[in-house]
Amino acid sequence: MELLAAGFVYLAAAVIAVPLANRLGLGSVLGYLIAGVIIGPLLGVVGQEATEVQHFAEFGVVMMLFLVGLELQPSQLWAMRYQLAGLGGLQVVLSTVAIGGVAWCFGLAWQGALALGMILALSSTAIVLQTLHEKGLMTTHGGQSAFSVLLTQDIAVIPMLALMPLLAVTGASQGHEGSQAAHGDTEASTHGQLAHLFSTLPDWLQVVVILAVIGGIILAGRLLMRPLLRFIAQSGLREIFTAAALLLVIGIALLMSLVGLSPALGTFLAGVVLSDSEYRHELESDVEPFKGLLLGLFFITVGATIDVGLLMSEATAVVSIALGLLLLKGSILFALASLFGLRGANRWLFALGLAQAGEFAFVLFAFATSSGVLDDEITRIMTLAVALTMLMTPLLFILFEKVLAPRAQQSSTGESPKIDQRESIVVAGMGRFGQIVARLLTSRGHEVTILDHDPETIEHLARIGFRVYYGDATRPDLLESAGLPSASLLIAALDDRDKQTRLVEQVANRWPHVTVLARAHDRHHVYELEKAGAHHVERETFESALHLGGEALTVLGEHPFAARKATNRFRQHDLQSLDELRAAWAEEGVSGRYIDAMRAQHGMLAQVMQSDRKDDALSRSERGWTPPPDGDATQ
Amino acid sequence: MKVLVYLAHPRPDRSEVNATLFRQASNAGHVTSVDLYATYPSMDIDIDAEQRRLVEHDVIVFQHPFYWYSCPALLKEWIDLVLEYGFAYGPQGQALKGKQVMHVISCGAARHAYTQEGYKGVTVPELLRPFKATWQLCQVEWLPPLVLFDAGRAEADGRLDEHCQDYRALLDLLHHTPLDAAQLSRHALFNDYLSDTPFDTSHETSSAASLASSPSFHSPRGRN
């Protein structure tokens, strides 16, 4: 199929199916899968190329891990080390043994059974993480444990890839024609080819290169990336920043593939390294849409590549394998969850969420077939079963959400510390106004997230110790990753008048629970911002100008306290007129009527301000501290 | 003796008495004069600076209108903040020990109103008891207050000039010679002490000198 036509079909399927699935409460993943089933097996619009598209779309997983890394600070990762090694390691080993054992009982050679066990022990990072994020379960104890297991599995892919050919050497005695046929097969994926190139190096050199690459990523992330991103940010071209973000992810993925490591693992590492940089939120927002689309595409291809013919002829076998796999993995996960102190809803989330087999199975099946560990027929049935378990996962999540979680609510005790602790105050714009507000807030011990688009300001503030992130604060996606959804307060202090109004409008519409305190440029901007939904508006120059005016009165010879009183009175009158002119402005803007009203207010102001002249014996406008008339203090 | 005069008046521009009196104090040369409302228009008192000022002086004069039988708000704020525990009172609070304090106030009503029989039914010294107690706790000697009664008519009656001269003489006196608080305490008001001394009738001469030589006054040096 032609590229444009294919694109049209995929996008159309997604655009129709995903919102529908979401509306029905099935989640976007199931929506994509259904879309795939419809355009693939059901309508037959897409066919062979779906597998190729799938390889391309697998890159979504790589991006997703980059994003996960960005949200994880190194210290948090270190705090998870026992979960990674214990929970994750045990899950991989136990599942491999159990699944392999069952396969062996069904008459598979031990090499094939072991390979099958390893492949099916892995779960679907794409589906699970996407669903956890979507449902906001990432921060629960169960979600966090699931994440650490997925991370371990990702690491485990490396030894599995290394082990597969070894199993083949001994398993080759079975004499499958597949092993010869697969030699030049492009199915073995680019990953395999590049790894092959690397594997011609001597062993010790391989180790050195791997260590050098990992060290290089960490060092470059620490020392090189920040100045580089800063340089790019200074150009002010947003698309170039996006390009740089993609370049970074693709570059690392390529590098990792070259040395035979998982690209997802590499970008995850890069993400962690960059997680405490000021460009974190901007990188996140830039990569996010690509990740979303690619993952969606990936899910569609999973649906589209289901072999209906085979499914029909082998229905009983495929379905029972899929169900058996879910049950077996689910039981092991449930037992491990109990062992590691997960209780109630969290235990169910963990067990049901990870019970499926994952997208790595597709890659590994291809690899295993090409190296002759597994024969073609088994792989075809197994691939189908894997796809089926993935299809069922969203349903399991729904089961969890609708049935198990509400019931377990009472028994689950306090949630463990969250992976991503977000601050509840966001300051947008760290110019001369926002800076003062942020400094006052932090001086009182409040944590603030600061957004600014000037690399120099960011650099400067970061040196002082502020947590500042680069980005255009009017972008909803950046606001989202900066934590607006969970924030309680936004200080809107952008220099650009129109951008400021747009920012307030967006936040007020999307996150009505956030209190918006906004800085206005002038009187009319106050009205605009109020209309946009700000809760409190302050003119940026108003208070400081009043202050200077009071100073001027003192210099002109007025008593400082009298000057203070005069500025207070001026403020009071001005705020009053601000209220009184609001209606006139809202009706017709700066019209003749508005200007008339303004002129009247100005006249009144002069009266009010000058009424405390000494000759004006007992003016009502001058309250307090006034001696009684003619010294009469009641005789 | 180093004399410190605090003026506490929120509207010196509307004041006939206190502004004039304060001008006397400011012109006295040997007196440190501080306009509290001008120094702290937003009421944020610099406690350290004020305490330093107190330590550097021997006699503190508070000049203020007798607002509601008390002082204007800022002076009360000043008292609340500056007379800290550990500085002005408490086991370590000896900073003000042995200093002297005096209130110079202006009242709207005539003197006879501030008597047992008068319509207020209470005297000015009685009303000043909280201040006296405050300063006693700080081990500061209390001198009887100098009061201008019927202040609203003082200028019209020609009493303001007279009072100004008394005030100026008082400041000179405080500067040149330590006063005997015990002896002064026999007088309810400093006004009475002045009328008992020849100083009261001899404004033309150097009042300080005349007062120092008056029989009712004893300098510590003289007693030794």
Side-chain angles (χ1 to χ4, degrees):
Chain A
M1 204 190 299
E2 214 184 316
L3 180 71
L4 275 180
F8 181 79
V9 170
Y10 279 106
L11 287 174
V15 167
I16 295 167
V18 176
L20 267 178
N22 243 343
R23 178 60 63 87
L24 295 172
L26 304 176
S28 72
V29 176
L30 198 57
Y32 282 118
L33 290 170
I34 294 168
V37 174
I38 292 171
I39 58 170
L42 226 57
L43 296 179
V45 191
V46 293
Q48 273 306 307
E49 82 283 353
T51 332
E52 286 163 45
V53 174
Q54 192 168 49
H55 282 307
F56 171 68
E58 270 163 23
F59 199 66
V61 182
V62 171
M63 289 184 159
M64 181 170 59
L65 271 139
F66 178 66
L67 292 175
V68 169
L70 270 181
E71 294 199 4
L72 259 185
Q73 250 119 66
S75 56
Q76 292 170 314
L77 190 62
W78 181 246
M80 285 168 60
R81 61 194 186 277
Y82 298 114
Q83 283 219 318
L84 286 175
L87 190 59
L90 272 177
Q91 188 273 332
V92 174
V93 172
L94 288 180
S95 300
T96 302
V97 171
I99 297 165
V102 171
W104 187 68
C105 290
F106 274 90
L108 222 66
W110 71 267
Q111 295 91 345
L114 181 59
L116 202 61
M118 291 195 301
I119 293 170
L120 296 181
L122 306 176
S123 315
S124 171
T125 314
I127 292 181
V128 180
L129 281 193
Q130 179 77 8
T131 313
L132 288 177
H133 267 302
E134 225 167 78
K135 299 190 185 297
L137 295 166
M138 209 42 208
T139 53
T140 64
H141 198 178
Q144 214 183 328
S145 306
F147 171 70
S148 43
V149 168
L150 289 170
L151 207 57
T152 317
Q153 290 180 353
D154 239 28
I155 300 167
V157 174
I158 304 158
M160 285 181 190
L161 280 170
L163 217 60
M164 223 52 96
L166 294 180
L167 291 174
V169 174
T170 41
S173 53
Q174 285 182 324
H176 280 297
E177 62 272 30
S179 62
Q180 273 82 27
H183 190 70
D185 198 344
T186 47
E187 280 284 300
S189 86
T190 40
H191 188 118
Q193 279 182 356
L194 290 166
H196 177 74
L197 189 81
F198 170 74
S199 64
T200 53
L201 294 172
D203 284 352
W204 66 269
L205 199 60
Q206 282 186 29
V207 175
V208 170
V209 171
I210 288 173
L211 289 179
V213 165
I214 292 177
I217 288 176
I218 295 174
L219 271 180
R222 279 247 174 271
L223 306 173
L224 217 68
M225 282 322 289
R226 269 161 80 163
L228 197 66
L229 289 174
R230 184 181 171 210
F231 174 74
I232 294 162
Q234 265 169 338
S235 74
L237 300 165
R238 215 168 82 192
E239 65 277 14
I240 292 302
F241 199 95
T242 309
L246 287 180
L247 183 71
L248 177 71
V249 174
I250 293 174
I252 289 168
L254 204 63
L255 193 66
M256 293 300 272
S257 301
L258 216 57
V259 299
L261 295 178
S262 150
L265 197 67
T267 51
F268 169 76
L269 196 67
V272 172
V273 173
L274 287 172
S275 67
D276 53 3
S277 106
E278 55 270 44
Y279 298 100
R280 164 182 159 193
H281 291 312
E282 177 73 17
L283 284 170
E284 222 172 307
S285 326
D286 278 343
V287 176
E288 183 81 40
F290 294 101
K291 176 217 92 175
L293 272 179
L294 282 177
L295 274 186
L297 191 59
F298 173 75
F299 296 135
I300 293 182
T301 58
V302 171
T305 48
I306 284 179
D307 187 341
V308 185
L310 190 66
L311 184 64
M312 288 307 164
S313 57
E314 299 281 349
T316 340
V318 173
V319 171
S320 35
I321 289 172
L323 287 178
L325 183 63
L326 285 175
L327 196 66
L328 190 61
K329 277 183 81 173
S331 314
I332 291 170
L333 287 162
F334 194 82
L336 278 175
S338 310
L339 193 67
F340 278 77
L342 286 172
R343 293 285 170 269
N346 281 319
R347 182 159 54 173
W348 283 110
L349 175 64
F350 181 73
L352 292 181
L354 294 173
Q356 82 294 109
E359 55 277 356
F360 272 117
F362 302 129
V363 182
L364 289 172
F365 274 140
F367 193 57
T369 326
S370 64
S371 35
V373 191
L374 291 169
D375 70 38
D376 204 40
E377 198 192 337
I378 291 181
T379 347
R380 278 177 57 208
I381 290 184
M382 281 299 164
T383 308
L384 207 51
V386 166
L388 217 55
T389 61
M390 289 168 78
L391 262 168
M392 284 185 220
T393 303
L395 298 172
L396 290 179
F397 270 109
I398 291 169
L399 173 74
F400 165 79
E401 255 194 335
K402 296 274 182 297
V403 184
L404 297 168
R407 275 178 49 200
Q409 207 72 66
Q410 297 94 331
S411 57
S412 70
T413 45
E415 299 285 70
S416 72
K418 297 181 169 187
I419 287 187
D420 197 4
Q421 196 90 45
R422 292 224 149 121
E423 311 80 12
S424 64
I425 303 171
V426 178
V427 176
M430 204 48 177
R432 41 187 218 272
F433 188 91
Q435 237 172 73
I436 295 171
V437 181
R439 270 171 46 210
L440 179 63
L441 291 175
T442 48
S443 73
R444 297 288 287 173
H446 294 285
E447 294 268 308
V448 295
T449 301
I450 294 159
L451 300 174
D452 199 283
H453 68 283
D454 178 29
E456 227 154 296
T457 307
I458 290 168
E459 198 90 346
H460 178 65
L461 291 169
R463 224 176 292 138
I464 303 173
F466 278 107
R467 203 172 330 171
V468 205
Y469 298 106
Y470 169 80
D472 177 355
T474 52
R475 285 174 59 184
D477 48 353
L478 183 78
L479 287 171
E480 184 148 2
S481 48
L484 244 289
S486 61
S488 58
L489 190 62
L490 169 76
I491 311 289
L494 299 185
D495 268 330
D496 187 297
R497 184 185 170 126
D498 297 333
K499 272 193 173 183
Q500 168 82 344
T501 313
R502 230 179 316 136
L503 165 70
V504 170
E505 211 162 42
Q506 260 163 9
V507 173
N509 284 340
R510 275 170 179 256
W511 302 288
H513 68 277
V514 177
T515 306
V516 179
L517 308 186
R519 156 254 225 146
H521 275 234
D522 53 30
R523 182 177 266 264
H524 298 150
H525 200 208
V526 172
Y527 298 141
E528 282 166 34
L529 289 169
E530 283 172 347
K531 203 170 141 208
H535 296 85
H536 177 84
V537 184
E538 195 77 51
R539 276 166 284 172
E540 60 168 347
T541 51
F542 186 55
E543 283 298 330
S544 43
L546 272 183
H547 205 82
L548 191 77
E551 208 60 37
L553 289 177
T554 313
V555 170
L556 287 170
E558 289 202 35
H559 187 262
F561 192 65
R564 170 94 186 172
K565 284 278 138 199
T567 52
N568 284 351
R569 198 152 57 236
F570 181 92
R571 177 192 295 107
Q572 201 183 351
H573 184 270
D574 186 276
L575 292 178
Q576 200 183 323
S577 84
L578 189 72
D579 280 340
E580 281 162 11
L581 292 175
R582 182 175 287 114
W585 184 87
E587 255 170 55
E588 40 200 326
V590 187
S591 63
R593 190 164 88 80
Y594 177 87
I595 288 172
D596 284 348
M598 188 121 186
R599 196 173 290 143
Q601 291 283 358
H602 193 72
M604 259 164 63
L605 174 69
Q607 256 180 13
V608 168
M609 295 302 287
Q610 285 166 25
S611 62
D612 61 326
R613 291 264 174 89
K614 216 168 180 177
D615 47 297
D616 184 5
L618 250 191
S619 158
R620 279 297 295 160
S621 69
E622 190 191 1
R623 317 285 291 272
W625 305 312
T626 312
D630 212 12
D632 179 12
T634 330
Q635 301 306 301
Chain B
M1 305 285 279
K2 294 174 87 175
V3 182
L4 173 61
V5 175
Y6 278 117
L7 171 70
H9 197 304
R11 291 297 302 270
D13 59 316
R14 276 326 265 290
S15 154
E16 291 174 354
V17 174
N18 280 287
T20 316
L21 288 180
F22 188 64
R23 227 169 292 127
Q24 290 282 328
S26 306
N27 292 337
H30 52 77
V31 169
T32 310
S33 57
V34 177
D35 178 347
L36 276 178
Y37 275 94
T39 315
Y40 305 115
S42 45
M43 296 219 161
D44 290 324
I45 286 165
D46 184 342
I47 298 173
D48 290 332
E50 291 305 319
Q51 291 183 346
R52 244 177 283 126
R53 250 205 272 271
L54 287 180
V55 169
E56 283 166 9
H57 292 85
D58 306 299
V59 187
I60 305 130
V61 176
F62 291 108
Q63 195 205 311
H64 62 88
F66 204 37
Y67 280 175
W68 290 112
Y69 318 110
S70 183
C71 62
L74 183 56
L75 180 51
K76 179 62 166 66
E77 177 84 346
W78 183 96
I79 291 170
D80 291 347
L81 294 180
V82 177
L83 302 182
E84 270 182 320
Y85 175 83
F87 169 77
Y89 71 104
Q92 259 76 51
Q94 309 278 335
L96 305 180
K97 188 176 181 178
K99 294 182 189 298
Q100 294 184 319
V101 71
M102 181 189 264
H103 281 242
V104 174
I105 59 183
S106 55
C107 300
R111 180 164 186 175
H112 59 79
Y114 286 99
T115 56
Q116 301 284 332
E117 303 77 35
Y119 82 92
K120 299 211 186 256
V122 60
T123 67
V124 169
E126 278 173 323
L127 289 167
L128 285 172
R129 283 292 284 276
F131 292 103
K132 190 177 178 183
T134 299
W135 291 112
Q136 271 172 351
L137 185 64
C138 300
Q139 297 171 288
V140 174
E141 287 181 342
W142 177 259
L143 305 178
L146 177 67
V147 184
L148 177 63
F149 291 102
D150 206 0
R153 293 204 182 84
E155 196 172 18
D157 295 353
R159 283 182 291 119
L160 187 59
D161 275 351
E162 199 181 316
H163 188 73
C164 272
Q165 283 163 5
D166 282 356
Y167 185 47
R168 178 62 190 263
L170 166 67
L171 291 174
D172 285 344
L173 184 64
L174 291 172
H175 174 60
H176 289 299
T177 6
L179 298 185
D180 185 341
Q183 196 191 353
L184 280 170
S185 69
R186 285 190 280 127
H187 302 277
L189 301 176
F190 204 86
N191 307 44
D192 303 340
Y193 171 74
L194 288 180
S195 55
D196 281 358
T197 62
F199 154 72
D200 188 34
T201 52
S202 56
H203 294 309
E204 297 78 21
T205 61
S206 166
S207 42
S210 67
L211 205 101
S213 60
S214 78
S216 56
F217 178 78
H218 302 280
S219 76
R221 216 178 299 120
R223 271 182 307 193
N224 290 343

